[in-house]
Amino acid sequence: EAGVAQSPRYKIIEKRQSVAFWCNPISGHATLYWYQQILGQGPKLLIQFQNNGVVDDSQLPKDRFSAERLKGVDSTLKIQPAKLEDSAVYLCASSLVIRGYEQYFGPGTRLTVT
Amino acid sequence: QKEVEQNSGPLSVPEGAIASLNCTYSDRGSQSFFWYRQYSGKSPELIMSIYSNGDKEDGRFTAQLNKASQYVSLLIRDSQPSDSATYLCAVHGGATNKLIFGTGTLLAVQP
């Protein structure tokens, strides 16, 4: 069974530029999550989708971050404009059910904002 | 008080010893508990899940849950240098209904 796919793996941009990350979850997983992991910290949930609907985006900085999951499969996370503090690893995860079931992570995208 | 607390370490153990990793959580309504292993530069990998009080064993790993004390632990028997990584405790359920991670404990297994 293929795991969660993410691209790109690395991205370097200048502040105020925009960037987009792509995620394809494990086949059949209805729930998809985007996390931000800053060095030395645990992952922090940004947004959670159930099929193509948003379940929780309470920690998403909506003035600069946006995410969509069209057709309930793959998803895109965008940052526009980027700030220096957005430098982090962006992780996508998926799970079979929304409540407490195991979440499986993709390889992540390491973003550096200069 | 942090929602999920772990000692950042590093926890250093000799090869072949038992490594004991601990985690406490603040939300008494939490229902699901997970341990993830994260190698440097890699993404978190799920290694154990536990949902009820007591012990759950899987190979060299044992997860222990005590909901009354709001405490979760992970024991790694016969520790190997390849077990050297950061171990993240994650808790789900309760008021937030999302997966909350601790900051992780860095484990170093000395050959």
Side-chain angles (χ1 to χ4, degrees):
Chain A
E1 179 183 73
V4 177
Q6 289 188 248
S7 67
R9 295 294 309 278
Y10 306 91
K11 191 74 176 179
I12 301 173
I13 61 172
E14 295 182 352
K15 59 184 179 183
R16 292 187 289 274
Q17 286 187 324
S18 63
V19 64
F21 313 125
W22 174 83
C23 171
N24 187 265
I26 293 172
S27 178
H29 281 197
T31 311
L32 185 149
Y33 313 80
W34 283 102
Y35 288 86
Q36 179 192 60
Q37 186 175 25
I38 293 172
L39 188 65
Q41 299 181 18
K44 183 186 82 171
L45 180 69
L46 292 175
I47 189 167
Q48 181 175 313
F49 292 95
Q50 176 73 8
N51 295 310
N52 60 349
V54 175
V55 174
D56 185 341
D57 62 357
S58 58
Q59 298 188 92
L60 187 73
K62 298 181 186 64
D63 58 333
R64 298 184 301 105
F65 286 64
S66 64
E68 61 182 8
R69 190 183 185 197
L70 301 177
K71 302 180 181 179
V73 181
D74 55 354
S75 175
T76 302
L77 176 70
K78 297 179 181 177
I79 307 175
Q80 181 179 12
K83 293 185 175 181
L84 295 176
E85 59 260 36
D86 297 332
S87 294
V89 176
Y90 291 84
L91 296 161
C92 180
S94 69
S95 69
L96 275 173
V97 297
I98 192 171
R99 292 189 66 87
Y101 209 69
E102 290 102 348
Q103 295 183 21
Y104 297 92
F105 285 85
T109 297
R110 183 175 300 275
L111 174 67
T112 302
V113 182
T114 63
Chain B
Q1 181 187 10
K2 290 183 180 178
E3 293 176 276
V4 179
E5 291 205 54
Q6 297 181 255
N7 188 317
S8 61
L11 173 66
S12 183
V13 300
E15 183 174 355
I18 296 175
S20 178
L21 304 160
N22 305 314
C23 170
T24 58
Y25 59 94
S26 61
D27 189 336
R28 283 195 170 274
S30 300
Q31 299 166 358
S32 308
F33 307 86
F34 307 93
W35 284 99
Y36 285 82
R37 177 176 62 197
Q38 188 170 28
Y39 292 113
S40 180
K42 302 295 185 182
S43 63
E45 174 193 9
L46 179 66
I47 55 172
M48 289 290 285
S49 58
I50 187 166
Y51 302 96
S52 55
N53 280 328
D55 295 359
K56 179 181 177 182
E57 186 175 319
D58 184 0
R60 294 186 296 112
F61 300 99
T62 298
Q64 299 175 318
L65 173 61
N66 183 327
K67 290 186 177 179
S69 300
Q70 295 173 244
Y71 179 90
V72 193
S73 65
L74 179 71
L75 300 178
I76 306 175
R77 290 181 300 280
D78 189 23
S79 295
Q80 301 297 309
S82 58
D83 295 325
S84 298
T86 295
Y87 289 80
L88 296 163
C89 173
V91 176
H92 192 285
T96 63
N97 195 29
K98 64 183 70 170
L99 194 62
I100 306 296
F101 284 84
T103 54
T105 297
L106 177 62
L107 173 66
V109 181
Q110 306 299 327

